[in-house]
Amino acid sequence: MAHEILKKLAEDVIIYILLRLPVKSLMRFKCISKTWYILIRSSTFINLHLNCSKTAKEEFIIFKRSLQVDPFQHKTTLSFLFGDDLNPVLSDLDVPYLESTFVNDYDQFIGPCHGLIALINMINTVLFNPATRNYRLLPPFPTDAPQGFRCSIDGVGFGFDSMANDYKVVRISKVYNDPPYRDPYSREQKVEVYDMITDSWRELDNIDQDMPRIYWAPSSMVFYKTACYWLAIGSKDKMIILYFDMGTEIFNTINLPHTCNSYNGPHYGLLVLRDSITMLRYPNPNPEYDAAQDLMQIWMMKEYGVYDSWMKIYTVRPLHIESPLLIWKDHVILCESREGSLISYDLKLDKIQEFNLQGCPTSLRAICYEESMIQIPCESKDNAQVQFF
């Protein structure tokens, strides 16, 4: 009976209904018929479903942390949270290939970018679709520093090149003399790009050796529209934004408001809010600084690339935090506390909420995610295959 009703429904009506279903249901419905299997797996349907997800109001929080397994082993764990109380909706996942002998506090957690998320440490990059539970290990970063030298990774990014229809990873590094002869002023700046289409790394030519230094913080890198953005330290120790266009593969910079661009003292974060580049300036968590004497400021660039469009949208009372992680629903700041726990601060209600979610100090990260059917590309049988959690 149900099959006869489906046969009578117009194809566009069926597609309209399917586009509004969650990924878990679509994964099951692929088994109904060969026609539905082909439809749901088609790139056209997947992209339409992704755009529908972006307009949906339901967002999940993916929470990353480093947990100590034993004195010499740490693992990276993901939690999937939903609702105002951030209740878990799925079992935690331990991410393979990111185990370490030390706290994973330098790992990057980037996304969602065109439906996918990247988890990157000093060696490995794991691409992941949380909705389908598919993941893939990308080829490791090149380690071709000559004898007597070492390579220091300054920054990494992950994004989508819409012109080439390709995912890319970019790595910014320096090669310098190995101790005891290390000279900080005798170094070479390098930029390498991984193309998923070719499944290989390549080094870019003619890199500006005076390029701004990447500023590291838990929320200091985002992918926005066509480029990767980092907070960076420019000339005279002024904070700026450095960005790399994934299509043209050209670097450029954006100046921060002159009232809050000093490198010495406060800390900074970078994120996207209301589809605009947004900067957070917050007190230094170092005990020698008095956090009570400083406020958090949130600045938004209303018109992209226009310096005069920077506008301070919030001033937040002193909070006892290690760092902000994310602004959720436009008015809730998720933060890591000084003790390594997840807390939130409601900008409208002036209310702090604590959650029973902990990790090793400075290892917490969080992103918003809307479900997608996007498949992780795997161009040939020689590449590392897509796996399932």
Side-chain angles (χ1 to χ4, degrees):
M1 181 66 178
H3 182 65
E4 292 299 320
I5 294 174
L6 288 174
K7 285 176 64 176
K8 292 179 181 180
L9 284 174
E11 183 177 349
D12 56 348
V13 175
I14 293 176
I15 294 175
Y16 179 86
I17 295 171
L18 292 177
L19 287 173
R20 281 147 183 82
L21 293 179
V23 171
K24 186 175 181 180
S25 299
L26 292 174
M27 299 289 283
R28 293 200 306 266
F29 289 168
K30 287 193 299 184
C31 303
I32 289 181
S33 69
K34 184 177 181 180
T35 301
W36 280 35
Y37 178 85
I38 294 172
L39 169 66
I40 293 172
R41 283 181 56 87
S42 70
S43 59
T44 301
F45 180 87
I46 289 173
N47 288 324
L48 287 172
H49 186 268
L50 176 64
N51 290 331
C52 286
S53 297
K54 289 179 180 178
T55 60
K57 294 183 179 180
E58 292 188 349
E59 291 181 327
F60 295 88
I61 296 295
I62 304 181
F63 173 60
K64 186 200 80 72
R65 49 189 161 160
S66 178
L67 297 174
Q68 187 171 15
V69 179
D70 57 51
F72 304 102
Q73 187 70 24
H74 292 78
K75 64 179 180 179
T76 296
T77 298
L78 300 180
S79 300
F80 303 87
L81 314 172
F82 183 74
D84 293 339
D85 294 326
L86 296 185
N87 296 312
V89 293
L90 297 169
S91 300
D92 287 353
L93 285 182
D94 295 334
V95 184
Y97 307 112
L98 298 185
E99 298 88 356
S100 175
T101 56
F102 50 85
V103 177
N104 302 324
D105 56 352
Y106 281 91
D107 291 3
Q108 292 290 343
F109 188 37
I110 307 170
C113 170
H114 208 69
L116 299 182
I117 288 169
L119 297 105
I120 306 175
N121 66 9
M122 294 298 182
I123 301 174
N124 291 324
T125 301
V126 177
L127 286 194
F128 174 46
N129 183 328
T132 64
R133 296 299 182 98
N134 289 329
Y135 73 94
R136 181 184 164 207
L137 175 69
L138 301 187
F141 294 124
T143 54
D144 54 355
Q147 187 174 2
F149 293 79
R150 62 175 299 179
C151 181
S152 172
I153 300 174
D154 286 358
V156 293
F158 166 67
F160 186 74
D161 178 359
S162 57
M163 293 191 297
N165 195 32
D166 188 22
Y167 291 92
K168 294 180 178 180
V169 178
V170 58
R171 182 180 80 159
I172 303 170
S173 61
K174 289 185 179 72
V175 176
Y176 50 80
N177 299 82
D178 213 8
Y181 308 107
R182 177 177 173 183
D183 179 1
Y185 298 101
S186 177
R187 59 183 182 234
E188 179 189 2
Q189 190 101 7
K190 296 178 64 176
V191 176
E192 291 145 320
V193 174
Y194 166 82
D195 302 290
M196 186 161 284
I197 286 179
T198 62
D199 194 40
S200 62
W201 288 89
R202 53 187 170 84
E203 185 177 344
L204 299 187
D205 298 325
N206 304 317
I207 297 302
D208 181 5
Q209 294 302 309
D210 294 323
M211 188 167 64
R213 310 190 314 271
I214 299 296
Y215 171 88
W216 185 89
S219 302
S220 58
M221 183 274 156
V222 296
F223 178 76
Y224 173 66
K225 295 188 183 295
T226 63
C228 290
Y229 294 77
W230 298 268
L231 287 167
I233 306 164
S235 61
K236 299 181 180 179
D237 281 347
K238 296 296 184 183
M239 294 296 299
I240 61 172
I241 295 174
L242 175 71
Y243 67 92
F244 178 77
D245 189 288
M246 285 295 193
T248 63
E249 297 188 345
I250 294 175
F251 284 96
N252 214 326
T253 59
I254 297 174
N255 289 325
L256 292 178
H258 73 276
T259 57
C260 54
N261 64 2
S262 173
Y263 168 64
N264 297 310
H267 281 196
Y268 298 87
L270 189 66
L271 49 84
V272 177
L273 178 65
R274 302 172 199 164
D275 199 35
S276 297
I277 291 290
T278 303
M279 182 272 293
L280 294 84
R281 178 187 183 273
Y282 59 98
N284 192 322
N286 192 312
E288 66 186 54
Y289 290 88
D290 183 6
Q293 300 301 315
D294 205 356
L295 304 173
M296 180 188 295
Q297 298 179 12
I298 303 176
W299 290 74
M300 177 182 291
M301 178 172 270
K302 293 285 189 175
E303 186 176 349
Y304 178 76
V306 178
Y307 174 78
D308 290 337
S309 72
W310 280 112
M311 179 180 293
K312 184 163 61 174
I313 58 173
Y314 290 111
T315 298
V316 182
R317 66 179 173 88
L319 301 173
H320 188 70
I321 64 169
E322 178 69 28
S323 65
L325 305 175
L326 173 72
I327 298 183
W328 182 40
K329 295 183 177 180
D330 281 357
H331 64 93
V332 177
I333 308 177
L334 297 184
C335 305
E336 177 177 346
S337 72
R338 299 282 177 86
E339 294 74 32
S341 298
L342 184 67
I343 65 173
S344 70
Y345 173 73
D346 192 307
L347 291 162
K348 293 181 178 178
L349 302 178
D350 187 27
K351 175 185 176 183
I352 295 175
Q353 184 174 356
E354 299 182 10
F355 303 96
N356 187 26
L357 294 162
Q358 298 84 25
C360 295
T362 73
S363 75
L364 276 57
R365 306 288 185 273
I367 61 172
C368 288
Y369 180 78
E370 302 91 10
E371 286 191 325
S372 86
M373 292 284 292
I374 292 291
Q375 301 178 49
I376 301 175
C378 188
E379 300 299 329
S380 72
K381 294 182 180 179
D382 296 330
N383 298 349
Q385 296 300 302
V386 175
Q387 301 179 68
F388 183 80
F389 277 107

